[in-house]
Amino acid sequence: MIKEKDETIRQVQQQKLAQYEPDFKQFKSFSEAHGLPLTFETLELYLHQLITQQQVRLSTFNRRLAGVKYWLVHEHGFQFTSAHEASVKLLRSLYDQEAYMRLKPMRGQRAEKQSDVLRLIDRYATDKKSDIRKRAICLVNLITANRPSEMVRLKVNDFDLANRTVQVMMVKQGEMKEKRLTLECVQAIQNYVVACELLPNDYFVGAADKWGNHTSRQISEVSYNQAIHSWLGFAPYTFRKTQITAMYQKGADIPTIAKQSGHKSHQTIMEHYIKLKSDDVDEFL
C-alpha cells in the first residue's frame, strides 16, 4: 500500500513537471546563457528581464514563475522563504508602474449577446444527426459555461435530465461540480442521445464523422476548439464569457454566477468577465 501511494504521488509530480517543463527550460537557458547558477538571485534577474526587456504580460509572468518555482522545489530541493516571496512581489509590482501598466490587462475572447449566440446555435435545429449533435453540445457549453477541458470530459451518465442537472469534472479545481440546465438544453440532449444512440458511459462530445456518427472517445481540447470554431465562428471560451455576462445582466449576484460557472474566486469573475462587457456603454454614447 505504501509503495502504491508513493508511486501515485510520483506520477502526479511527473505530470506537473512535464506541464511546467517548457517554462523551466526558458529559465535554464537564461541561466546558461549568462553563466549563472540555478539560484534565487538568478531567478530575480530572469523575472526582471521578463518585465523590463521582454515585456511579457502579467499572466505570462505568473505562469512562468509558477513553472520555475515548481521545478526548483521538486527537482532541485530549493526552499522559498517569506523573503523570497516578498522580493517576487516587489518585482511583480513593476506592472503597477506607468511603463508596464499596459501589460496587465488580460486579453481573451469577448462576450457576445446571448440571444445572438442562441440564434447561431439554432441554425442546427434540423433533423440531421450531425446537426442534432452540434446543437446539443453548443447549448450545454453555453448554459453550463464550461471550460473546454470540462466539455471533453463529460459523459452521458453525468447528466440527470429529470432534475435538469449535470455533474461536471472541474479539472482545474480537482472536484465534481453540479450545474443547472435549461429545459431547452435538456430536450436537445435527449434528442442527441436518441439520434446518436449514446450509451451511459459514452463521452458526451466524443468524436464524430461528417454524418454525425458518434464514437465514444475523449477528444483533445485543441480538437474541441477547432470544432466549435468551425460550427459557430468563435472559440469555446466565448460561450463561458457570454453566459456569465448574460447572467449578470439578468440580475444574478456573483455567488450565483460562481455556482454555475465553477469559479472559486468571485474577484476573478468581476475582473475578467463582468468588465469584459464594457462595450455596453456604446448604447449611451
Side-chain angles (χ1 to χ4, degrees):
M1 290 173 63
I2 294 174
K3 287 181 179 180
E4 289 178 357
K5 181 265 295 180
D6 290 343
E7 177 60 20
T8 299
I9 292 175
R10 188 193 69 79
Q11 289 178 1
V12 172
Q13 288 180 339
Q14 288 302 313
Q15 290 172 357
K16 282 274 193 178
L17 288 170
Q19 175 185 343
Y20 290 131
E21 187 174 13
D23 296 313
F24 181 74
K25 279 186 174 180
Q26 293 193 50
F27 169 61
K28 188 176 180 181
S29 295
F30 171 85
S31 303
E32 292 173 350
H34 294 84
L36 298 171
L38 297 178
T39 63
F40 180 76
E41 288 71 24
T42 302
L43 177 59
E44 285 182 306
L45 294 174
Y46 173 67
L47 296 176
H48 182 264
Q49 187 194 62
L50 287 181
I51 301 172
T52 60
Q53 296 183 35
Q54 296 186 34
Q55 298 202 354
V56 302
R57 293 193 169 277
L58 176 58
S59 56
T60 302
F61 175 91
N62 289 334
R63 189 196 71 238
R64 292 188 183 178
L65 172 61
V68 173
K69 284 177 66 176
Y70 193 88
W71 269 77
L72 288 177
V73 170
H74 292 90
E75 282 291 286
H76 299 276
F78 190 84
Q79 296 296 320
F80 278 81
T81 67
S82 57
H84 293 151
E85 298 294 350
S87 180
V88 169
K89 186 176 181 180
L90 283 174
L91 283 170
R92 190 184 283 111
S93 69
L94 287 174
Y95 285 103
D96 298 330
Q97 296 184 7
E98 183 176 350
Y100 309 107
M101 200 176 294
R102 285 187 174 86
L103 301 173
K104 286 183 71 174
M106 293 181 66
R107 297 178 182 176
Q109 300 297 324
R110 57 169 288 165
E112 301 290 346
K113 288 183 178 179
Q114 189 187 57
S115 58
D116 290 344
V117 174
L118 286 170
R119 274 196 294 271
L120 288 174
I121 295 174
D122 279 343
R123 292 184 304 174
Y124 298 108
T126 74
D127 293 331
K128 292 173 58 179
K129 187 189 295 186
S130 59
D131 286 351
I132 291 173
R133 173 177 178 267
K134 292 173 184 176
R135 186 168 185 269
I137 291 171
C138 290
L139 279 174
V140 168
N141 203 158
L142 175 64
I143 299 305
T144 60
N146 278 346
R147 302 172 178 89
S149 61
E150 295 154 6
M151 285 300 299
V152 299
R153 287 171 170 81
L154 277 180
K155 290 196 171 185
V156 175
N157 57 16
D158 289 328
F159 292 91
D160 181 354
L161 299 184
N163 292 307
R164 287 169 44 184
T165 61
V166 59
Q167 293 289 334
V168 179
M169 184 182 293
M170 314 289 291
V171 181
K172 191 173 182 180
Q173 286 89 351
E175 62 184 14
M176 299 296 290
K177 181 87 171 181
E178 183 180 271
K179 296 190 178 187
R180 297 289 299 168
L181 302 169
T182 63
L183 181 58
E184 179 184 25
C185 191
V186 168
Q187 291 172 339
I189 296 167
Q190 290 171 333
N191 291 339
Y192 174 33
V193 170
V194 172
C196 294
E197 301 178 350
L198 301 185
L199 299 175
N201 203 42
D202 283 348
Y203 281 101
F204 178 71
V205 175
D209 59 25
K210 62 181 179 180
W211 297 283
N213 296 312
H214 184 272
T215 301
S216 181
R217 65 177 175 84
Q218 182 179 320
I219 64 172
S220 68
E221 294 175 42
V222 173
S223 296
Y224 183 71
N225 289 342
Q226 292 171 343
I228 296 300
H229 201 280
S230 68
W231 299 346
L232 299 180
F234 53 68
Y237 256 93
T238 297
F239 286 132
R240 184 168 173 81
K241 295 186 177 181
T242 295
Q243 182 67 1
I244 291 172
T245 303
M247 291 180 69
Y248 183 74
Q249 291 176 333
K250 291 174 183 176
D253 57 23
I254 301 303
T256 299
I257 294 173
K259 181 175 176 61
Q260 182 70 356
S261 66
H263 278 101
K264 283 191 173 182
S265 170
H266 294 179
Q267 183 180 355
T268 298
I269 296 175
M270 291 303 300
E271 288 184 355
H272 304 311
Y273 289 87
I274 303 305
K275 290 183 180 180
L276 286 176
K277 203 58 180 175
S278 58
D279 58 344
D280 283 342
V281 300
D282 293 350
E283 300 176 21
F284 307 102
L285 296 180

